[in-house]
Amino acid sequence: MKKIIKLFAVVSLLSITMASTIHAGVWKQDSHGWWWQDGDKSYPSSVWKWIDSDGDGMAECYYFDESGYILTGTAAPDGSTVNESGAWTDQGIVRQRASNPAAARIINQKGLELYQEADLKSSGLPGLDISADIQMNLSYDWLELPVYMNMLLKYHDLNTPNMEFLSQTKMDMLGIRNSETSFYTNGCYYLDAGMYEKYKMKIGYEDMTRNITLGGLTGQFGDFLHNVQIADGDAGNKILFYSSKTEGLEKHLTNFYDEIWPTLSDSNYKINRIDGKAVISPEGYFSKEAISIYMTITEEEETMGMLMNMDINYNNPGKAVSIEFPSTEGYEEVIY
């Protein structure tokens, strides 16, 4: 999908410190447990380490305690979970990453193909029902500014006389709550921006389609996939974990800030990292996404950090979408 209403145009791995993948070494065991001996006879301690134990090109991540033994079947000091073999897991799935350039090229290409195929199939749907929870946290010295957003978008029969959509956004910042609702039905576009700002206008479905830029968030990072892992999920789902190359992402996401947080579009910002997870249904549609964006923002020689977490649900993709509209009473008519 290429853009589902501009409000959806953006963006969870745990923020943990992990060492480089190990290519040489051996597992050792004594009466206290398992530990890893590197090629130079040293051993890791109080650290995460990626190790390709079986040489299949994909490494798992292990946490070694202060004495150098791996933790098993518990939580690491940073809260991450490790299974009975000591491997880091995310919701029961063992996390992996390529341990050499050749393996990285192969798995990244497979991930890109899977991502693009799901994007193509999802973007061909005549309608979607999407909900998203977004949490942003802006930090500067002692200041922490949290922002919470909930977004809903439903549409069907795009660019046809039967086209309809409903978009709802709720925001909570410093205890101040704002909401906005817009929808299109029976050839009329309605906007309720709160504070008695309620407008409607007659507009043809073709013009409406061009103006609202329907499409989807999914597919936004296809050109930037990196450090890919493909895993099997429940009920036949495929799960695609990835991080994104950061070069060029600032320009790529500018339109998002123009819509979500206009003041940021006038700031200088740098994307430090993007981590994502996409769940693909057995039918080949995107069904869930989780995206974390880490960045720094500079304005008037002041630098701030920002973390944005997005959880997106594509509800029953491939199924018919029905919409229950708010009342159309009390809107002031304006000329398009």
Side-chain angles (χ1 to χ4, degrees):
M1 291 176 286
K2 301 294 183 217
K3 296 172 181 154
I4 282 190
I5 268 187
K6 292 179 180 178
L7 289 173
F8 277 82
V10 67
V11 139
S12 73
L13 285 177
L14 296 170
S15 181
I16 52 182
T17 304
M18 298 182 176
S20 301
T21 303
I22 299 304
H23 301 283
V26 63
W27 285 106
K28 299 274 189 176
Q29 186 184 30
D30 59 24
S31 60
H32 297 289
W34 287 92
W35 53 285
W36 177 262
Q37 180 175 284
D38 288 326
D40 61 0
K41 307 301 182 181
S42 65
Y43 62 89
S45 62
S46 300
V47 71
W48 286 95
K49 199 173 192 73
W50 290 97
I51 299 174
D52 181 7
S53 301
D54 56 9
D56 65 352
M58 297 299 292
E60 293 74 37
C61 201
Y62 303 89
Y63 186 81
F64 295 85
D65 66 18
E66 65 276 5
S67 299
Y69 295 98
I70 64 167
L71 298 183
T72 61
T74 186
D78 61 10
S80 304
T81 302
V82 294
N83 65 13
E84 295 300 325
S85 298
W88 169 36
T89 62
D90 180 350
Q91 297 181 351
I93 297 174
V94 175
R95 294 305 314 274
Q96 295 180 315
R97 79 175 190 186
S99 60
N100 58 68
R105 284 193 297 271
I106 293 172
I107 192 63
N108 286 346
Q109 183 60 34
K110 288 182 178 178
L112 177 60
E113 291 172 357
L114 181 63
Y115 193 88
Q116 290 178 333
E117 289 171 3
D119 174 29
L120 181 63
K121 188 163 186 177
S122 297
S123 64
L125 292 171
L128 278 174
D129 177 353
I130 303 171
S131 58
D133 289 308
I134 303 171
Q135 179 178 351
M136 294 177 279
N137 192 74
L138 190 65
S139 59
Y140 172 70
D141 288 341
W142 55 269
L143 177 66
E144 295 284 338
L145 177 62
V147 180
Y148 303 95
M149 298 181 67
N150 175 262
M151 306 169 71
L152 168 71
L153 176 67
K154 293 183 178 184
Y155 66 87
H156 64 75
D157 295 301
L158 287 182
N159 205 25
T160 75
N162 296 321
M163 169 183 166
E164 292 182 320
F165 78 81
L166 170 67
S167 174
Q168 296 175 319
T169 303
K170 298 178 181 178
M171 178 184 289
D172 187 327
M173 182 169 61
L174 295 177
I176 300 174
R177 295 178 174 84
N178 294 304
S179 63
E180 181 175 298
T181 298
S182 63
F183 56 96
Y184 180 76
T185 184
N186 296 323
C188 279
Y189 172 70
Y190 298 83
L191 172 63
D192 181 354
M195 296 297 291
Y196 310 106
E197 295 184 79
K198 298 177 69 174
Y199 306 102
K200 76 173 182 179
M201 66 179 71
K202 293 182 179 179
I203 177 172
Y205 67 86
E206 293 174 325
D207 284 343
M208 190 75 257
T209 300
R210 284 192 292 268
N211 277 285
I212 63 177
T213 317
L214 286 172
L217 167 64
T218 307
Q220 287 293 319
F221 300 108
D223 293 334
F224 301 92
L225 293 191
H226 189 56
N227 288 333
V228 171
Q229 177 190 350
I230 303 171
D232 293 325
D234 297 333
N237 291 320
K238 287 289 185 183
I239 301 179
L240 182 68
F241 296 94
Y242 64 89
S243 60
S244 290
K245 298 177 182 177
T246 58
E247 184 178 358
L249 275 173
E250 288 85 357
K251 181 178 180 180
H252 188 72
L253 295 178
T254 294
N255 288 341
F256 169 74
Y257 297 113
D258 287 341
E259 297 295 331
I260 294 290
W261 203 333
T263 56
L264 284 182
S265 64
D266 297 326
S267 305
N268 295 318
Y269 63 93
K270 176 177 175 56
I271 307 293
N272 300 315
R273 192 171 92 242
I274 291 183
D275 298 322
K277 178 172 71 173
V279 180
I280 301 172
S281 72
E283 295 77 23
Y285 302 116
F286 288 105
S287 61
K288 293 180 183 293
E289 281 201 286
I291 303 172
S292 295
I293 304 179
Y294 304 80
M295 69 180 74
T296 52
I297 304 166
T298 302
E299 187 171 357
E300 297 181 356
E301 299 183 355
E302 299 286 346
T303 300
M304 297 169 285
M306 182 173 175
L307 168 62
M308 179 185 299
N309 291 315
M310 295 188 66
D311 289 301
I312 307 166
N313 288 300
Y314 297 83
N315 303 306
N316 300 311
K319 305 297 183 181
V321 176
S322 61
I323 303 175
E324 183 176 343
F325 292 103
S327 170
T328 58
E329 299 296 324
Y331 287 80
E332 177 186 353
E333 187 164 357
V334 296
I335 304 300
Y336 170 64

